[in-house]
Amino acid sequence: MAAFALSACSTDTPQSVLQPQGEFARKADALWDITFAIAIAVFVVVQGLLLYAIFRYRHKPGREAAQFHGNTRLEIAMTIIPALILLGLAVPTVATVFDLAAEPTGADVIHISVEGRQFWWRYDYTDLDIVTANELHIPTGQPIDLSIEGYDVNHSFWVPRLGGTQDVVPGRTSRLTLEADDPGTYLGQCKEFCGLSHSNMNLRVIAHDPGDFEQWVSDQQEPAAAPSDSLAAEGAELFVNGAADAQFAGGPSCASCHAIEGLDGAVGIIGPNLTHFAARNTFAGAIFQNNESNLRAWLANPPERKPGSQMPNLQLTTGQIDALVAYLQTLE
Amino acid sequence: MATAVAPQQGGLFARPTAKTGWWSWMTTVDHKKIGILYGVTAFFFFIVGGVEALLIRAQLATPNGEVLSPAVYNQLFTMHGLTMIFFVVIPMGTALMNFLLPLMIGARDVAFPRLNAFSYWVFLSAGLFMYSAFLLGGAPDGGWFGYAPLSLDPVTDGMTYYSLGLQIAGIASLAGAINFIVTIINMRAPGMTLMRMPVFVWMTLITSFLLLFAVPVIGVALWELMFDRLFGANFFDPAAGADPLLWQHLFWLFGHPEVYIMILPAMGIVSEVLPAFSRKPLFGYPAIVFSGAAIAFMGWGVWAHHMFAAGLGPVANSAFALSTMFIAVPTGVKIFNWIGTIWGGSVRLTTPFLFSAGFVSMFIIGGLSGVTHSIVPHDAQQTDTYYVVGHLHYVLFGGSIFGLFSGIYYWWPKVFGRLLSEKIGKFHFLLMLVGFNLTFMPFHILGLLGMPRRQYYFPANRGFEVWNLLASIGAFTIAVSILVFLYNVAVSRKKGEAAGADPWDARTLEWMTTSPPPEHNFDAIPVVRHRDDFWYRKYITTPEGESARVFAGGAASDEEQHSSEAASDEPPSSSAEGASDREPNTAGAAPPESSSEERPHAGASAEEQGHGIHLPSPSYFPLLTAAGMPVIGYGFIYSPILLAAGAVMLLVGAFGWVLEPPAEEA
């Protein structure tokens, strides 16, 4: 078991809860360390007693079983001792529960509203006027106050190395505090079964030094630039108005679901806000690297790439995909 | 099966008369036959649920597995959970209870034999109904926990099958629970006080009370889910202002007692097996009984530990953390008492003993990992990961299934009259123990490395590969061990050694009668003077605290009761033994002479007709009534005509049940 655990730590395990990288994950981990040590000790003692009893008293010719029915003192002792051990665990547990539940205070606390949807994450930086998806950018070294909002079905927001889990329950708002020690990318994913693409509902937290975070904020607050080349401009047109051909006349356009700040008419709220889409490393629930070939494959048939995707197959032509990809790639 | 007097023939509601063949099984009300039906059916579902598990493990053996589509995967993990819980562990426990309960308390049958048959047929109907969904558009795919509002998703009828099928299964559980409670309270042999009952009977009683109170809770939730799905009610729809946490509370308020419903019977089995093979009385019998009751009672106050991540707030989370921690105390008491039972004994390492020791051993691990769930801040990390999957399998497989196999090996000779092979049995145990740990120990590590549950694939480069591969190898090892068990069964059926009445030199009343027991169980109802009464008919305790055989001729294995039901390979000895030398070592039921007052109808043919003892007659109506239920279920989904047809079946069945004549009516 110990060898298992050691070898497990030596490999690359980006979602391990045993390697906390922030204040709140560390508090949980500290409790785990105590509990695990006690559990191993209890296991060794009790399992040892069991095996000892079996082999010490196994049948041999001439052995007679001692006929006793119990031992009141021993029975009381073995009720009280486990209760005391558990009491010892209960005290720090309850203390930490209240500690973690405390809402962070102070002027510099960043409040972010997190919404889990089938099958992606929507982040609304309420004080900074930024809406983004799947990749949560935070500054290091300060508590982030997440307000977890329900939308369609149950989900669960989880970034193992930074903190615990908070279920997303439709109709309810819960909260969770995260903090990262160092800059870096921390993987997470939806943990509550939410349908066909539950497995494809990943997320990442990207922690920046506070200075870099300021820069990211100001970049994000800019509206999207108007496209300069003609193919991209065609893509923008397509994005808002849909295809002009008969098949899509009056049908859905990208803008029915997606918003892009700075693009007139693109104000949809069903899908991710794409204002700075090209600045994201991943898309579609953080499962695909954001590059041209993945984007093409995605636009050609989203439900095939991601089962149960709310984004339908729009039967786009290759030319339409060319234009849309060109436009999306300008959205730095 | 034999009846006292030939049933009245003719008439609309005549009772069936088949004694062998298909009809005898379909109309039986004999608790032993029903027990066998339960056991065989539960084992069939065990194979089905196991195949589902193997498909899941095949999919997850390698990263980005492509064996199953996500839609199929979701159906399989949902049905695996539902099957193993509702159609394997609970009914396998019920099988043993059915067969053994009357024998262990010295009764001739359960209190309501037709209700007992009804329970079985309803259970079977529920299972077939649920599985028919695979052929009719898609099985339930929202998880066994069926969280709303995902469970309201109308894409397939799967979750409608879930809501209806589990309601049907719940009716079976309720009927069975009431039957067992009444039987235990009213039908114990003279002298069998509550505190002389075998622990398995105690655990049956406690489990039955848990079912009686827990099933209505899920019944309400399922009823509401059914209304949401079929009639657009808004019990769980957040868009209409409902709070989906209502479902979670109702589900887990049932769901956690359910865990104890699955583990307590296994604890009862272990509490029978360990004393028998340690040749010692159970250590701390009252403590074991009362800790069982304490677990059942406290089990009602821990449900929200399934919801630590749901955002109930620090006060609720702390309260449920404490209750979850302290339910470990009575559980620990049991483990220490089992070790105390072995301590100082003369331990025979038979297959049933090994499975029981395996149970205790694996349950220690499952219990300790259970305690780690009460550490709320860390539970938030491990909840919904494979860590929890590992924990629950240590409790329900390492616990319940090992316990049930212990019971199967222990009572097999009683049920079928032949021994299972010890050699093959030990191989089965070893293979299953290794396969089990190889499968489920890596799950703990996977969870801690951050692999969530219910994922139809896992990505590469997260450190998950090797543990998943090991788990898959382990799963197939378990499958091989089950094949070994089936081979053992086949060998035993073909050329197994005849068991005799008491092959293990055991302690409780069921070993006093023949193997398999006659339809009427005991020629004369034994009078109970001790806990472990049968043991004290065979042995006395010397002042030095050792046991000594009371009378050399009293060895029960030498005893055969005269009975037409004795297995053919086991020629019944004559009942020539006199009554005079029977006390106090009545190692076996008293000879027929002493039971004359029980034979009001004794006639010329009484001897081959169960000694003239009144036994309930078979009936068609439990089956008919039960079969109406899935038809009603289909009716809700597909057509009012089916609904009406099912209702007619149910009503005709119920009226037939009431109006059919007692068999011995002149």
Side-chain angles (χ1 to χ4, degrees):
Chain A
M1 194 47 224
F4 281 4
L6 279 178
S7 68
C9 294
S10 64
T11 54
D12 186 31
T13 52
Q15 286 186 188
S16 170
V17 303
L18 302 174
Q19 289 148 291
Q21 310 259 306
E23 179 68 13
F24 298 92
R26 242 191 323 275
K27 284 177 178 168
D29 190 56
L31 283 175
W32 164 259
D33 288 345
I34 305 170
T35 314
F36 187 63
I38 293 174
I40 291 293
V42 171
F43 172 76
V44 169
V45 170
V46 179
Q47 191 77 36
L49 282 172
L50 175 69
L51 291 175
Y52 176 80
I54 291 172
F55 289 105
R56 166 73 178 73
Y57 296 106
R58 71 184 183 282
H59 176 73
K60 285 179 196 154
R63 182 188 306 285
E64 280 297 328
Q67 301 295 312
F68 54 86
H69 291 263
N71 180 326
T72 309
R73 266 188 216 172
L74 196 59
E75 286 172 57
I76 291 172
M78 65 204 195
T79 310
I80 290 176
I81 292 170
L84 289 177
I85 294 174
L86 289 164
L87 201 61
L89 280 177
V91 174
T93 298
V94 172
T96 312
V97 167
F98 280 91
D99 190 13
L100 291 179
E103 220 165 309
T105 52
D108 60 340
V109 173
I110 294 176
H111 303 280
I112 305 170
S113 157
V114 174
E115 222 175 66
R117 299 185 176 190
Q118 281 178 323
F119 299 95
W120 60 282
W121 298 92
R122 179 180 185 275
Y123 307 123
D124 187 345
Y125 294 65
T126 41
D127 303 332
L128 302 172
D129 203 23
I130 297 170
V131 177
T132 181
N134 299 322
E135 296 178 353
L136 182 70
H137 292 256
I138 62 168
T140 57
Q142 68 182 77
I144 313 296
D145 181 32
L146 302 181
S147 150
I148 312 279
E149 318 265 353
Y151 181 72
D152 42 27
V153 298
N154 290 282
H155 302 278
S156 195
F157 181 88
W158 186 43
V159 191
R161 288 192 167 189
L162 299 186
T165 304
Q166 179 56 54
D167 284 0
V168 179
V169 183
R172 293 178 79 99
T173 301
S174 320
R175 46 171 316 287
L176 180 70
T177 315
L178 283 189
E179 187 177 326
D181 297 334
D182 301 306
T185 299
Y186 302 94
L187 301 186
Q189 64 189 107
C190 174
K191 209 156 62 152
E192 186 63 79
F193 179 65
C194 59
L196 272 186
S197 263
H198 170 50
S199 317
N200 295 320
M201 189 169 163
N202 293 359
L203 64 99
R204 356 184 106 187
V205 173
I206 299 170
H208 305 272
D209 283 329
D212 294 345
F213 180 71
E214 292 296 320
Q215 182 61 47
W216 179 83
V217 168
S218 59
D219 287 349
Q220 290 283 310
Q221 286 171 335
E222 293 292 319
S228 48
D229 74 284
S230 64
L231 187 62
E234 194 189 312
E237 163 68 18
L238 198 58
F239 192 96
V240 177
N241 296 322
D245 60 40
Q247 191 184 359
F248 275 95
S253 71
C254 309
S256 313
C257 297
H258 296 282
I260 293 178
E261 304 289 329
L263 181 63
D264 274 349
V267 293
I269 54 167
I270 293 169
N273 180 309
L274 300 177
T275 307
H276 295 283
F277 176 78
R280 296 177 198 160
N281 297 320
T282 56
F283 69 97
I287 56 171
F288 301 121
Q289 287 297 317
N290 190 355
N291 58 40
E292 192 185 327
S293 68
N294 280 340
L295 206 48
R296 289 181 156 282
W298 172 255
L299 291 175
N301 191 351
E304 185 195 68
R305 297 282 284 156
K306 186 174 175 181
S309 162
Q310 304 283 310
M311 180 162 161
N313 182 351
L314 292 160
Q315 316 288 343
L316 298 169
T317 63
T318 312
Q320 290 167 336
I321 291 174
D322 287 342
L324 282 171
V325 169
Y327 175 59
L328 288 171
Q329 291 192 320
T330 67
L331 298 172
E332 288 288 344
Chain B
M1 275 300 182
T3 50
V5 174
Q8 184 187 40
Q9 294 302 312
L12 186 57
F13 296 119
R15 308 216 42 155
T17 54
K19 294 173 186 175
T20 53
W22 280 94
W23 272 113
S24 76
W25 288 94
M26 295 179 72
T27 58
T28 186
V29 295
D30 178 357
H31 70 97
K32 296 179 289 301
K33 280 192 153 183
I34 293 170
I36 292 169
L37 286 171
Y38 258 112
V40 170
T41 310
F43 199 84
F44 168 75
F45 280 119
F46 182 56
I47 303 285
V48 174
V51 168
E52 286 160 354
L54 292 180
L55 287 169
I56 290 170
R57 285 320 311 170
Q59 167 81 354
L60 296 180
T62 52
N64 304 307
E66 287 182 347
V67 178
L68 306 169
S69 73
V72 171
Y73 184 88
N74 290 349
Q75 291 172 43
L76 288 182
F77 85 71
T78 301
M79 288 303 287
H80 169 74
L82 291 170
T83 303
M84 290 304 190
I85 290 165
F86 292 100
F87 302 111
V88 177
V89 174
I90 295 180
M92 192 60 93
T94 311
L96 291 172
M97 292 171 190
N98 241 308
F99 196 96
L100 295 164
L101 177 60
L103 290 167
M104 287 180 126
I105 61 172
R108 298 222 190 275
D109 205 316
V110 293
F112 306 117
R114 286 182 295 174
L115 189 66
N116 199 22
F118 171 76
S119 296
Y120 168 73
W121 293 113
V122 174
F123 147 68
L124 178 66
S125 303
L128 296 178
F129 176 77
M130 290 280 256
Y131 267 91
S132 70
F134 270 115
L135 306 173
L136 297 168
D141 58 358
W144 88 281
F145 52 98
Y147 272 15
L150 184 63
S151 56
L152 306 180
D153 190 342
V155 173
T156 74
D157 288 324
M159 294 308 280
T160 311
Y161 277 94
Y162 167 93
S163 66
L164 290 161
L166 289 190
Q167 285 184 70
I168 298 173
I171 291 168
S173 293
L174 277 179
I178 290 168
N179 211 344
F180 290 155
I181 290 170
V182 175
T183 304
I184 293 171
I185 291 178
N186 289 313
M187 299 185 65
R188 281 167 287 133
M192 175 71 83
T193 61
L194 287 177
M195 291 307 278
R196 285 180 188 165
M197 294 196 310
V199 173
F200 183 68
V201 176
W202 260 112
M203 293 306 133
T204 302
L205 182 65
I206 292 169
T207 304
S208 299
F209 271 112
L210 276 178
L211 276 169
L212 186 62
F213 294 123
V215 170
V217 179
I218 189 76
V220 167
L222 291 166
W223 180 261
E224 292 179 345
L225 176 63
M226 178 181 87
F227 265 68
D228 272 14
R229 288 192 62 96
L230 292 174
F231 309 121
N234 291 315
F235 291 106
F236 303 117
D237 183 3
D243 186 345
L245 280 191
L246 174 64
W247 170 270
Q248 297 189 23
H249 280 296
L250 288 173
F251 184 82
W252 292 118
L253 184 51
F254 151 82
H256 207 83
E258 169 77 4
V259 173
Y260 299 110
I261 288 166
M262 289 188 276
I263 198 72
L264 287 171
M267 289 177 161
I269 292 166
V270 168
S271 304
E272 299 300 325
V273 170
L274 292 180
F277 294 103
S278 304
R279 303 180 67 74
K280 271 185 65 202
L282 189 65
F283 184 91
Y285 172 97
I288 293 235
V289 169
F290 287 123
S291 61
I295 289 171
F297 189 75
M298 292 169 78
W300 291 96
V302 298
W303 80 89
H305 68 209
H306 296 269
M307 301 164 63
F308 278 154
L312 301 179
V315 176
N317 283 354
S318 298
F320 282 98
L322 293 177
S323 63
T324 303
M325 284 179 186
F326 288 103
I327 203 166
V329 173
T331 315
V333 165
K334 278 188 185 288
I335 288 172
F336 288 123
N337 279 302
W338 289 324
I339 295 173
T341 303
I342 299 167
W343 204 273
S346 176
V347 178
R348 288 172 293 164
L349 297 178
T350 57
T351 309
F353 179 89
L354 289 175
F355 271 104
S356 275
F359 166 97
V360 178
S361 197
M362 297 301 103
F363 192 74
I364 293 170
I365 299 174
L368 287 170
S369 62
V371 171
T372 66
H373 298 322
S374 67
I375 312 300
V376 180
H378 204 268
D379 180 75
Q381 292 279 42
Q382 74 221 16
T383 187
D384 282 318
T385 70
Y386 267 79
Y387 185 89
V388 176
V389 186
H391 159 75
L392 77 90
H393 282 94
Y394 267 83
V395 177
L396 293 182
F397 194 133
S400 302
I401 298 281
F402 271 68
L404 289 166
F405 267 113
S406 178
I408 289 169
Y409 274 96
Y410 182 55
W411 282 298
W412 186 275
K414 178 53 60 187
V415 177
F416 296 106
R418 289 167 186 260
L419 293 165
L420 286 166
S421 156
E422 274 294 302
K423 209 183 215 171
I424 306 173
K426 283 174 184 168
F427 182 59
H428 167 206
F429 167 73
L430 205 66
L431 208 55
M432 196 153 109
L433 187 73
V434 170
F436 168 76
N437 282 289
L438 195 57
T439 310
F440 297 111
M441 188 52 81
F443 278 19
H444 293 101
I445 299 165
L446 279 171
L448 294 174
L449 295 183
M451 179 161 158
R453 308 168 71 168
R454 300 160 186 146
Q455 305 270 318
Y456 73 87
Y457 74 96
F458 66 91
N461 302 321
R462 304 268 162 100
F464 300 158
E465 287 91 336
V466 64
W467 307 111
N468 273 303
L469 184 60
L470 281 178
S472 294
I473 294 170
F476 283 88
T477 311
I478 296 172
V480 173
S481 79
I482 300 303
L483 293 179
V484 172
F485 170 72
L486 288 173
Y487 175 68
N488 201 351
V489 169
V491 169
S492 167
R493 299 295 288 165
K494 202 162 177 191
K495 51 180 186 183
E497 197 184 324
D502 181 23
W504 309 119
D505 198 8
R507 314 177 70 83
T508 38
L509 294 184
E510 75 272 24
W511 302 103
M512 276 177 59
T513 187
T514 52
S515 304
E519 192 188 6
H520 56 278
N521 291 352
F522 300 97
D523 287 348
I525 297 297
V527 175
V528 176
R529 295 188 173 80
H530 299 275
R531 194 181 292 157
D532 292 338
D533 196 68
F534 184 40
W535 178 265
Y536 292 103
R537 289 169 188 244
K538 296 185 289 189
Y539 296 96
I540 55 163
T541 306
T542 65
E544 293 79 42
E546 291 175 346
S547 56
R549 216 170 249 281
V550 178
F551 178 64
S557 50
D558 303 329
E559 288 254 340
E560 301 293 347
Q561 287 185 49
H562 181 102
S563 165
S564 60
E565 296 300 315
S568 57
D569 57 299
E570 194 191 0
S573 62
S574 72
S575 28
E577 296 150 294
S580 57
D581 62 348
R582 309 286 300 190
E583 291 297 333
N585 60 322
T586 315
E593 285 78 5
S594 65
S595 64
S596 55
E597 76 279 5
E598 303 240 8
R599 300 194 289 163
H601 302 294
S605 62
E607 204 59 32
E608 61 268 16
Q609 288 193 352
H611 302 260
I613 294 159
H614 165 73
L615 286 170
S617 298
S619 172
Y620 300 109
F621 297 107
L623 172 59
L624 181 62
T625 315
M629 292 192 184
V631 180
I632 292 175
Y634 291 121
F636 271 124
I637 300 174
Y638 299 111
S639 147
I641 296 168
L642 280 173
L643 196 67
V648 167
M649 286 168 75
L650 197 139
L651 285 172
V652 169
F655 275 94
W657 189 322
V658 174
L659 298 174
E660 69 181 337
E664 53 282 70
E665 202 174 308

